[in-house]
Amino acid sequence: MKAVAWGRSLPGLLVALLLTALTMVSPAAADTGVSTIGRALREGPVYVDPSASALPSADALAQRIKKADKPVFVVVLPAGYPTANLFTNLRTATGITGLYAIRLGDRFDARADSSVLSNAAVKNLVSSVQGEDAKTQLDDFTDRALANMGGSAPASWGGSSSGNGVSPVRR
């Protein structure tokens, strides 16, 4: 009887061990943590996850944000990225007051510290760009936000003339 029970549970145990091992060694899981994104945003205003759809206009978007000298942070993540407390954790990881816009797959949302933009203004901006493709959505949102928000870009970005502003993924 014990041999039969052991024989039935062995495949389940092996599957569980395999899934655990794959989760632990997945480079994507290690590289796309909120702390990694937060570090990248302290270096530049735009972060595009390597697992997300490419954003060809990321360099131009980052340069516009830096030139405007406003604390706008744009993050592009793959669909399925964990969303629990994402904005709060991201804001905590950067430690910078600002407006945080996240494109997650085909979804888009934003949050801001009230000292740079009111909650009502953020909701209006997000509503105004719903249903647009990624490039248009992020460009329109950023342009409208830059025209209406307060605050200054973090000094860690090095001003509007240095670098492209798109944060690299460190491996």
Side-chain angles (χ1 to χ4, degrees):
M1 196 69 154
K2 287 184 182 180
V4 172
W6 173 255
R8 287 185 193 162
S9 64
L10 184 59
L13 178 62
L14 290 175
V15 169
L17 288 173
L18 179 62
L19 289 175
T20 301
L22 288 174
T23 302
M24 292 174 63
V25 298
S26 170
D31 288 342
T32 59
V34 171
S35 61
T36 298
I37 299 167
R39 262 191 319 276
L41 290 176
R42 287 192 299 271
E43 295 176 15
V46 178
Y47 174 84
V48 180
D49 186 279
S51 301
S53 297
L55 183 64
S57 62
D59 289 341
L61 182 63
Q63 285 305 313
R64 277 202 323 275
I65 294 168
K66 289 177 77 175
K67 184 177 180 183
D69 190 36
K70 298 291 183 180
V72 176
F73 302 90
V74 177
V75 178
V76 179
L77 297 171
Y81 189 91
T83 59
N85 301 314
L86 181 57
F87 282 101
T88 301
N89 294 340
L90 188 56
R91 168 59 175 85
T92 301
T94 62
I96 302 170
T97 300
L99 170 63
Y100 293 80
I102 299 176
R103 171 90 181 193
L104 191 89
D106 290 336
R107 298 179 353 201
F108 178 76
D109 205 355
R111 301 281 188 282
D113 291 283
S114 61
S115 61
V116 297
L117 198 61
S118 72
N119 287 335
V122 173
K123 286 180 185 179
N124 290 338
L125 285 171
V126 169
S127 295
S128 75
V129 297
Q130 291 300 335
E132 296 179 350
D133 65 272
K135 179 191 179 314
T136 304
Q137 185 177 64
L138 296 175
D139 285 346
D140 288 353
F141 178 85
T142 300
D143 290 343
R144 293 170 190 166
L146 291 173
N148 292 294
M149 67 180 292
S152 297
S156 61
W157 289 354
S160 61
S161 61
S162 68
N164 65 5
V166 177
S167 299
V169 176
R170 307 225 186 248
R171 296 201 187 258

